[in-house]
Amino acid sequence: MNVVSRGIKNALRSPMRSGAIVLMLAISIGLILSMLVARSSVNAKITEVKSSAGTSVTISPAGVHGFDGGGDPLTAAQITTIKDTAHVSSIVATLSDQLTTSDTSLTPSLELGLFGARQQRSSTDSTSSTDSNAAAPADSSSTETTTTRQAPTPKTTVTGTTDQNSVSTDGSDLVLSSGSSIDGSSSDLVALVGTSLATKNSLKVGSTFTAYDKTITVKGIFKTGNTFADSGLIMPLATVQTLTDQSGAVNSVIAKVDSSDNVSSTVTTLKSSLGDKADITSQVEQAAASVSSLESISSLALAGVVGATIAGSVIVLLAMVMIVRERRREIGVIKAIGGSNVKVIGQFVSEALTLTIIGAIVGLSLGIVVSGPMTSSLVSNQSSTATTQAGPGAGGPGRMFKGGMSQLSSNITQVTGSLTPQVFAAAVGITLIISIIGSAVPAWFIARIRPGEVLRTE
Amino acid sequence: MLVVKNLTKSFNSAGGEVHALKDVNMTINTGEFASIIGKSGSGKSTLLSMLGALDVPTSGSIQVDDIDIAKLSAAKQTAYRAKKIGFVFQHYNLIPNLTALENVMLALEFGGMPASKRKARAQELLTEVGLDEDEQLRKPTRLSGGQQQRVSIARALANKPAIVLADEPTGNLDSETGKKIFDLLHSLTRSENVTIIAVTHDMDIAGKTDRTFRLKDGQIVIEK
Ligand SMILES: Nc1ncnc2c1ncn2[C@@H]1O[C@H](COP(=O)(O)OP(=O)(O)OP(=O)(O)O)[C@@H](O)[C@H]1O
Ligand SMILES: [Mg+2]
């Protein structure tokens, strides 16, 4: 029989009351664990989303979204401005164009589905009307008069870029299945051909094809895994600018910022220097917007942890204060027969610890069972918000990037509550804090009980 | 030897200062059985709590074998209570959650006896005060008042104290049982040469002790 075993024995002294205390405590601790699990899982997701967002900022002409919308291409002066902005470490400029069968010898490899056909038709119509308004060449208007409901034809996308890797859809370098890279800063009549387009037209490294009435040499075949990208062409930026008669113009600039901390300030600087001429989006901003609902879940869970910790501490504290008051005389007797304050307090702390440990075992098991479903339900309740808050995709090659982002935001609802050893340790640590808080005040009461009180008759 | 000099104790209560003890002087030799009598409120329990270092005097000194216990630090007073003093209370004051045996072992623990030796010593003490093996394993609620007081006497004697302080040890018992308990205390302490100071209302008992002090309004009025 020592201090600890007396404490344990006392904890089981009145089973009904101890049971009630343990139950309340178990609920608090179960809640603490599930909230910690929810928080850490959601936080892990937030970090994952944020870290998967690169440090790039996409600048496209105002109003342009891919090949849709209006607006003037970005000028060489604007590109210089972007390049000279603080924290911008490098820029990749692209100018995209679409080649119809009349512009090139290539057969498009994209099959037009129902959706594509509809898109293509409307864009053809709008092109025709713009052409006629702008006093287009005679043959163009005659085409329009002869075929009012022209069958939609697929087009081949050509991307003029200073860096071929910007076409890669997954953020890594562009994979060439054969051939070699092209120099993005040159103005050579060379191209990298998407694997689908190459197969369709039986192109190999060294083959030639005609586009914009010029003979272009195939330098390499690339493969991205994205059907749209693999049906396109990549050429040096200057080449496309020359061929399409848009010297110095680009329709998308991707600026790399030196660190993710500087992205938002850089976006602000760019917005003020480019004014309303350009639409600027950054992955970091989009990621931040898409995770904001997760962040609110995370802070909700933190509030839950704090609340449950307070509740748990108060339960232990009140229980122990009640027990100490009830056993005032007993404490006086122990002191009178030579028990030191340390021993008496030790005995009560061990009693509080016993209750807390039993509560913790029950509560942690409870937490392990409910934390998974609880995390899922917390997150899925917010899922609709999460999707609507996913920001708009960027223009230009950002079409693919947009796809990536929406994939990202749909992932946001797939947070699985996973119980890591760290989270478990944190829950155990908090439980310990509860029993310390729950014992400290009673200990103070105990120390103040005078042994002389035992001689007072009740 | 116990020497009490100019001992006073005042309490600050709502109705003003209460002088529970006023200039008490007494000397009790080692091994003597002393009784303290007096009306309710005369200061008997207060005096006992000073002698047992349960409370500190307002002024004066209490010399136990040349050590002034009133001037000891709190930790030393605790050790003094554990080793040198045995208490017997009117209401027995056993720990309800512990068996008779464990109650005695608790005192042995505070007295510093190694854990391995406590059980045998506690059994020996309880047998000495007249509790059989079955009774030793019972909790206080399942023992009679007389049996409980026997356990508390065993507890008081556990660490071979120099002084046993008893506050109306027979106050809750019928006169026959009270007499038995008194005789038990008497015989045990005689054999161990322990000083006993007992507060009592029973004049029969008081008459049989070596010394009797009568307290009145916090002062010793008669010393026999
Ligand atoms: N803690 C205290 N606070 C205030 N007054 C006290 C305290 N303890 C004792 N007194 C007062 O001191 C006086 C002596 O009390 P004490 O308990 O010593 O009397 P007693 O002789 O033991 O009486 P009884 O025979 O009824 O037990 C009483 O007037 C009592 O009210
Ligand atoms: Mg009294």
Side-chain angles (χ1 to χ4, degrees):
Chain A
M1 218 44 183
N2 56 22
V3 169
V4 175
S5 55
R6 271 200 300 281
I8 294 170
K9 199 169 174 179
N10 277 340
L12 311 167
R13 196 152 151 179
S14 106
M16 277 297 284
R17 183 174 62 194
S18 302
I21 295 167
V22 163
L23 190 72
M24 289 191 285
L25 209 54
I27 293 170
S28 318
I29 293 170
L31 205 63
I32 288 170
L33 183 66
S34 351
M35 287 300 175
L36 280 176
V37 167
R39 183 173 155 77
S40 82
S41 311
V42 166
N43 279 353
K45 194 74 192 184
I46 291 171
T47 329
E48 185 194 315
V49 169
K50 282 197 172 165
S51 65
S52 68
T55 55
S56 53
V57 176
T58 305
I59 304 117
S60 52
V64 174
H65 193 112
F67 294 109
D68 308 326
D72 299 320
L74 293 173
T75 62
Q78 285 170 323
I79 293 163
T80 313
T81 311
I82 296 166
K83 208 183 280 179
D84 293 346
T85 304
H87 300 303
V88 170
S89 54
S90 68
I91 65 161
V92 175
T94 50
L95 175 64
S96 304
D97 194 28
Q98 289 189 306
L99 299 170
T100 60
T101 35
S102 59
D103 296 322
T104 177
S105 62
L106 293 171
T107 311
S109 60
L110 265 186
E111 298 291 339
L112 281 182
L114 277 177
F115 184 62
R118 186 182 158 75
Q119 297 255 318
Q120 208 70 300
R121 188 156 48 231
S122 54
S123 85
T124 317
D125 289 351
S126 67
T127 315
S128 322
S129 56
T130 318
D131 281 355
S132 51
N133 284 352
D139 61 85
S140 170
S141 43
S142 67
T143 315
E144 201 204 351
T145 44
T146 47
T147 48
T148 37
R149 267 272 176 229
Q150 189 184 28
T153 48
K155 295 171 185 170
T156 300
T157 301
V158 55
T159 307
T161 179
T162 52
D163 180 3
Q164 64 188 44
N165 291 328
S166 67
V167 180
S168 168
T169 46
D170 58 5
S172 54
D173 284 358
L174 188 73
V175 179
L176 293 180
S177 52
S178 64
S180 56
S181 310
I182 52 170
D183 180 4
S185 56
S186 73
S187 53
D188 302 342
L189 294 171
V190 291
L192 294 176
V193 185
T195 174
S196 311
L197 188 64
T199 312
K200 186 90 178 179
N201 295 283
S202 317
L203 292 175
K204 288 190 178 54
V205 176
S207 313
T208 54
F209 61 90
T210 322
Y212 306 105
D213 302 327
K214 292 277 193 302
T215 304
I216 316 281
T217 312
V218 176
K219 280 281 185 184
I221 312 289
F222 67 89
K223 185 172 172 63
T224 63
N226 177 298
T227 314
F228 184 80
D230 287 347
S231 302
L233 288 171
I234 303 173
M235 292 194 211
L237 175 65
T239 310
V240 177
Q241 285 173 339
T242 315
L243 292 178
T244 58
D245 231 0
Q246 305 178 86
S247 174
V250 302
N251 58 11
S252 167
V253 173
I254 296 171
K256 278 260 180 257
V257 178
D258 53 7
S259 106
S260 55
D261 297 336
N262 295 325
V263 172
S264 57
S265 66
T266 308
V267 168
T268 315
T269 316
L270 285 172
K271 277 183 177 159
S272 67
S273 56
L274 298 176
D276 56 6
K277 292 274 193 291
D279 289 333
I280 299 162
T281 47
S282 70
Q283 285 170 302
V284 168
E285 278 183 323
Q286 289 176 5
S290 65
V291 297
S292 75
S293 68
L294 284 183
E295 273 163 351
S296 68
I297 295 173
S298 170
S299 48
L300 191 79
L302 183 65
V305 170
V306 172
T309 305
I310 292 172
S313 308
V314 168
I315 290 165
V316 179
L317 191 132
L318 288 181
M320 289 318 289
V321 166
M322 188 169 77
I323 288 168
V324 167
R325 285 181 66 110
E326 209 176 84
R327 300 209 206 122
R328 235 188 135 71
R329 193 173 188 83
E330 192 178 315
I331 292 164
V333 171
I334 293 175
K335 287 189 177 183
I337 65 170
S340 59
N341 264 333
V342 174
K343 285 210 168 187
V344 192
I345 291 169
Q347 179 187 319
F348 276 81
V349 167
S350 113
E351 182 168 348
L353 262 177
T354 306
L355 292 174
T356 316
I357 287 169
I358 301 175
I361 292 170
V362 178
L364 291 176
S365 332
L366 200 79
I368 290 169
V369 176
V370 303
S371 60
M374 198 176 237
T375 305
S376 321
S377 81
L378 266 178
V379 174
S380 66
N381 280 345
Q382 301 262 349
S383 66
S384 50
T385 341
T387 356
T388 51
Q389 282 186 351
R399 266 198 167 177
M400 294 157 208
F401 164 63
K402 183 192 178 189
M405 276 312 287
S406 49
Q407 210 173 337
L408 216 61
S409 56
S410 72
N411 273 345
I412 282 171
T413 59
Q414 295 161 5
V415 179
T416 37
S418 55
L419 180 62
T420 61
Q422 289 95 314
V423 168
F424 194 79
V428 171
I430 290 176
T431 308
L432 220 67
I433 291 171
I434 288 178
S435 59
I436 290 169
I437 295 173
S439 312
V441 174
W444 184 76
F445 275 118
I446 289 169
R448 279 170 46 101
I449 293 175
R450 292 180 308 113
E453 286 184 38
V454 285
L455 288 174
R456 313 236 59 80
T457 43
E458 64 261 53
Chain B
M1 194 152 90
L2 174 72
V3 182
V4 175
K5 279 185 189 153
N6 310 110
L7 188 69
T8 64
K9 177 68 180 176
S10 319
F11 294 103
N12 289 313
S13 66
E17 221 177 0
V18 177
H19 299 282
L21 294 174
K22 300 166 194 163
D23 198 27
V24 171
N25 289 282
M26 61 199 287
T27 305
I28 299 169
N29 292 317
T30 306
E32 272 188 324
F33 194 148
S35 55
I36 298 171
I37 54 173
K39 277 193 273 188
S40 180
S42 57
K44 306 183 295 293
S45 295
T46 307
L47 178 57
L48 226 53
S49 70
M50 298 297 128
L51 299 180
L54 294 180
D55 209 344
V56 283
T58 308
S59 68
S61 71
I62 303 165
Q63 305 259 335
V64 179
D65 299 332
D66 296 330
I67 297 165
D68 190 347
I69 60 162
K71 293 200 168 59
L72 293 178
S73 66
K76 287 238 172 79
Q77 285 191 342
T78 304
Y80 168 79
R81 287 198 297 269
K83 296 199 168 98
K84 296 277 182 173
I85 301 287
F87 282 104
V88 179
F89 308 98
Q90 181 181 351
H91 298 281
Y92 328 125
N93 282 340
L94 298 174
I95 308 298
N97 196 35
L98 304 179
T99 64
L101 196 67
E102 288 166 344
N103 264 282
V104 178
M105 286 166 72
L106 182 64
L108 290 169
E109 180 190 325
F110 296 153
M113 181 176 276
S116 57
K117 292 183 183 165
R118 289 178 205 154
K119 193 172 178 187
R121 167 82 175 141
Q123 282 170 331
E124 181 195 330
L125 282 158
L126 285 167
T127 311
E128 226 176 315
V129 298
L131 259 78
D132 65 33
E133 256 178 71
D134 170 60
E135 288 159 350
Q136 291 178 12
L137 297 176
R138 291 193 209 158
K139 290 197 176 156
T141 45
R142 295 182 56 225
L143 293 168
S144 73
Q147 287 168 334
Q148 287 188 56
Q149 200 59 303
R150 283 167 196 272
V151 177
S152 85
I153 289 169
R155 180 177 69 180
L157 296 170
N159 296 307
K160 296 193 162 70
I163 304 168
V164 170
L165 300 170
D167 197 353
E168 300 183 36
T170 61
N172 266 23
L173 304 169
D174 59 70
S175 59
E176 200 185 326
T177 317
K179 203 176 165 306
K180 277 185 190 159
I181 291 293
F182 180 80
D183 289 343
L184 174 68
L185 264 179
H186 200 99
S187 69
L188 284 172
T189 50
R190 265 305 106 85
S191 58
E192 313 264 341
N193 200 29
V194 185
T195 308
I196 304 191
I197 303 165
V199 169
T200 183
H201 280 124
D202 191 327
M203 294 313 286
D204 274 1
I205 288 173
K208 282 191 236 167
T209 57
D210 304 328
R211 310 276 298 276
T212 305
F213 299 89
R214 180 184 285 274
L215 273 176
K216 192 178 181 236
D217 297 333
Q219 283 175 309
I220 292 177
V221 288
I222 298 172
E223 188 179 335
K224 178 181 76 89

